[in-house]
Amino acid sequence: MTVLGEVPQMSVEPSDARGRVAELHGIRARALAGPSEKATAAQHAKGKLTARERIELLLDPDSFREVEQLRRHRATGFGLEAKKPYTDGVVTGWGTVEGRTVFVYAHDFRIFGGALGEAHATKIHKIMDMAIAAGAPLVSLNDGAGARIQEGVSALAGYGGIFQRNTRASGVIPQISVMLGPCAGGAAYSPALTDFVFMVRDTSQMFITGPDVVKAVTGEEITQNGLGGADVHAETSGVSHFAYDDEETCLAEVRYLLSLLPQNNREYPPCVPCSDPQTRRSEALLDLVPADGNRPYDMAEVIEEIVDDGEYLEVHERWARNIICALARLDGRVVGIVANQPQALAGVLDIEASEKGARFVQMCDAFNIPIVTLLDVPGFLPGVDQEHGGIIRHGAKLLYAYCNATVPRISLILRKAYGGAYIVMDSQSIGADLTYAWPTNEIAVMGAEGAANIVFRRQIAGAEDPEAMRVRMLKEYKSELMHPYYAAERGLVDDVIDPAETREALVRSLAMLRTKHAEVPSRKHGNPPQ
């Protein structure tokens, strides 16, 4: 068997077609086997699969067609001329997931540690160009050590070509990055440019500068996982959308995500047969959501009651938990759900929630996924840290994303909808196609108590019994400006509905909006808040 450091030589020159075919099969066998059994065993010993094993799990059986399997680098110096393995450390090609075309490239850590050289990069560039031209999703299985140092600036230029194509493909085809090993330096930017990032605990890391550099510069000691592991990026930085314990589960979830996405921005997500009745009543919703606006509840249970068979895929589940972003189906058709989560920070909007919601809304709009927004928001999170951190700028990202979205948009107000947060969360005034509310809704500039204290402060201060006057004014304010039908009477809510009929209302409304067409102004692109 050929090892990584050898350049295979043919001892006898084949003289006929059969000999040539035999030679071809021999070369293919070496390319498929990889550098050596020892290298494969070392990969498995780390709890990691090989590049080809990963592709087999991702794609439908026997559907993978490889591109440039026999590619080898042409670099010289530093011993490279004696090490010219086939594939040059990256496996590229296309196959199918549930019968639909998907392009893929997978770093082979057994060859040069998966490091990117000129030939390696050229293969990735080609498969990215093919994905864009064919209008099909691109999945990258990342397990590489960054730029190949021996090839110098040529390797760095290869990353530039990847970044340029990531940007060109953005909003055109779904791009999914699966982190299955280390990803350091400039290599981390390609995943950051894609639509979704998956990570595997303990074996995958992402960082710009590793622990050794951090220690040298700042004196801080930290492990690779502590600096850029899956849990860090899923909970703290928000870089990773999904984190799993093993590669098999991770790749199965990538397949599930692909089943919820269209092939490209000119198509709709696949529709599947639905056995969950359109008109199914959800009486449980009457008990799940307390009428008392100060009592928390789990918005995830509300979503489960509404969507088909209670199934949904939450994006960024562990980051910015005060807002839920999820993909689900209603009557077999994919929808994006954005919902405040009263169980975390009372469901307020803060910097991270605004960023999370904005990116999700933009993704849905790019790929023709209707957006359903479930509101129970007491406002933006107050505080010096939030103001100094730019809550105005970050909150404006969510506002911009909603205002810019042309897909069907339906908002539903469950309970509180106060102040600027109500406007930002796809209110009718910023372009929601339909706005519904439950009889428990409270739409106002702010909570009744705070509003009454401001509006009636003179009457309260001048009363013989200020507390009794405050209670009386509070009751008056609520009855005049915060009753459940105030917004409906003024046309700001299209209908107040029975919570048990929420599923039917959403399904029928989305069916009506399916042919929605929105004119957009002629422009190169907008200039969203950063």
Side-chain angles (χ1 to χ4, degrees):
M1 178 174 288
T2 304
V3 297
L4 179 61
E6 296 178 349
V7 177
Q9 301 290 333
M10 295 300 298
S11 57
V12 178
E13 192 72 22
S15 58
D16 59 9
R18 292 183 183 278
R20 293 290 186 183
V21 171
E23 177 188 33
L24 170 63
H25 287 317
I27 292 173
R28 287 205 186 283
R30 288 195 294 274
L32 290 170
S36 69
E37 292 180 1
K38 182 180 178 181
T40 301
Q43 181 82 345
H44 288 163
K46 298 173 185 175
K48 296 161 63 176
L49 301 175
T50 65
R52 296 186 187 279
E53 289 169 340
R54 289 162 174 166
I55 290 172
E56 286 179 9
L57 285 174
L58 173 67
L59 300 177
D60 295 336
D62 301 320
S63 69
F64 182 57
R65 293 291 299 174
E66 190 169 350
V67 175
E68 296 194 354
Q69 182 186 71
L70 306 184
R71 187 70 179 259
R72 300 158 82 182
H73 73 76
R74 55 188 178 184
T76 58
F78 305 102
L80 286 178
E81 60 274 6
K83 300 177 181 179
K84 294 187 175 183
Y86 293 114
T87 75
D88 199 45
V90 63
V91 180
T92 61
W94 78 89
T96 61
V97 172
E98 297 187 3
R100 298 192 303 154
T101 300
V102 172
F103 288 82
V104 61
Y105 68 86
H107 298 136
D108 191 340
F109 194 82
R110 300 171 301 167
I111 298 175
F112 298 127
L116 182 138
E118 181 184 22
H120 182 121
T122 302
K123 288 182 64 176
I124 295 175
H125 296 168
K126 180 171 184 174
I127 210 66
M128 295 180 78
D129 289 340
M130 290 175 68
I132 296 169
L138 174 71
V139 178
S140 62
L141 305 179
N142 298 274
D143 186 5
R148 196 173 298 169
I149 298 172
Q150 300 95 318
E151 294 195 30
V153 71
S154 296
L156 291 178
Y159 274 124
I162 294 173
F163 302 157
Q164 191 269 340
R165 287 167 174 82
N166 283 139
T167 304
R168 185 153 53 90
S170 180
V172 178
I173 58 171
Q175 298 180 84
I176 299 174
S177 298
V178 189
M179 316 311 297
L180 300 165
C183 184
Y189 284 116
S190 175
L193 290 169
T194 61
D195 300 301
F196 299 97
V197 176
F198 287 72
M199 294 188 74
V200 176
R201 293 184 182 90
D202 297 328
T203 58
S204 65
Q205 301 88 29
M206 296 175 68
F207 36 69
I208 299 301
T209 54
D212 293 340
V213 176
V214 170
K215 182 179 178 181
V217 174
T218 70
E220 298 174 278
E221 292 193 19
I222 192 167
T223 64
Q224 286 195 346
N225 281 322
L227 180 63
D231 289 326
V232 168
H233 287 311
E235 296 179 11
T236 306
S237 71
V239 170
S240 174
H241 299 78
F242 306 95
Y244 299 99
D245 290 330
D246 57 77
E247 294 189 15
E248 292 83 357
T249 304
C250 181
L251 292 170
E253 290 300 299
V254 174
R255 285 179 59 91
Y256 179 45
L257 173 60
L258 285 167
S259 75
L260 296 168
L261 299 174
Q263 290 292 90
N264 53 62
N265 65 339
R266 301 182 303 278
E267 297 184 7
Y268 293 98
C271 180
V272 301
C274 177
S275 59
D276 196 347
Q278 293 184 9
T279 57
R280 170 174 58 80
R281 289 178 60 83
S282 300
E283 300 290 346
L285 292 175
L286 298 171
D287 301 315
L288 281 176
V289 181
D292 181 357
N294 294 319
R295 288 178 57 193
Y297 62 93
D298 189 356
M299 182 66 82
E301 295 181 3
V302 175
I303 295 172
E304 288 177 12
E305 277 294 318
I306 295 171
V307 301
D308 291 355
D309 303 311
E311 293 182 1
Y312 64 92
L313 177 65
E314 186 169 351
V315 178
H316 268 144
E317 180 180 1
R318 297 160 61 199
W319 181 61
R321 296 190 182 199
N322 42 322
I323 195 168
I324 294 175
C325 297
L327 292 170
R329 281 190 166 93
L330 281 169
D331 195 32
R333 297 183 182 273
V334 177
V335 296
I337 297 175
V338 181
N340 307 110
Q341 174 56 290
Q343 275 195 338
L345 294 176
V348 297
L349 289 178
D350 61 0
I351 289 173
E352 291 184 346
S354 299
E355 289 191 339
K356 173 178 169 178
R359 184 74 192 277
F360 183 76
V361 168
Q362 288 171 174
M363 184 280 298
C364 289
D365 188 49
F367 294 116
N368 306 311
I369 300 173
I371 301 167
V372 174
T373 305
L374 306 179
L375 283 89
D376 190 347
V377 60
F380 282 94
L381 180 65
V384 175
D385 289 345
Q386 288 290 307
E387 296 295 346
H388 288 185
I391 184 62
I392 297 172
R393 178 166 50 87
H394 293 285
K397 294 179 183 179
L398 181 56
L399 177 60
Y400 187 98
Y402 268 124
C403 290
N404 204 44
T406 60
V407 292
R409 291 155 47 191
I410 301 174
S411 61
L412 171 66
I413 301 158
L414 281 63
R415 291 196 311 187
K416 302 181 299 296
Y418 295 162
Y422 152 62
I423 299 297
V424 167
M425 290 287 292
D426 207 17
S427 62
Q428 190 179 95
S429 59
I430 67 167
D433 296 296
L434 287 168
T435 303
Y436 295 118
W438 286 358
T440 47
N441 81 83
E442 291 183 356
I443 306 173
V445 175
M446 63 175 65
E449 195 156 326
N453 288 339
I454 294 172
V455 175
F456 305 114
R457 63 181 180 274
R458 290 185 181 177
Q459 293 94 315
I460 294 171
E464 292 184 7
D465 186 344
E467 181 59 23
M469 177 61 75
R470 190 186 68 80
V471 171
R472 180 181 145 201
M473 293 294 100
L474 176 62
K475 185 177 181 180
E476 182 179 325
Y477 182 84
K478 276 188 169 183
S479 65
E480 288 292 326
L481 297 178
M482 292 185 67
H483 62 80
Y485 309 102
Y486 182 83
E489 290 171 359
R490 284 152 183 79
L492 299 174
V493 167
D494 292 296
D495 198 9
V496 179
I497 63 173
D498 178 351
E501 297 174 355
T502 299
R503 174 178 167 80
E504 181 181 5
L506 292 177
V507 167
R508 294 190 184 281
S509 298
L510 288 168
M512 178 275 293
L513 290 168
R514 202 165 296 146
T515 54
K516 173 185 174 182
H517 175 73
E519 294 290 342
V520 294
S522 176
R523 61 182 176 183
K524 189 174 183 181
H525 55 72
N527 186 22
Q530 298 295 324

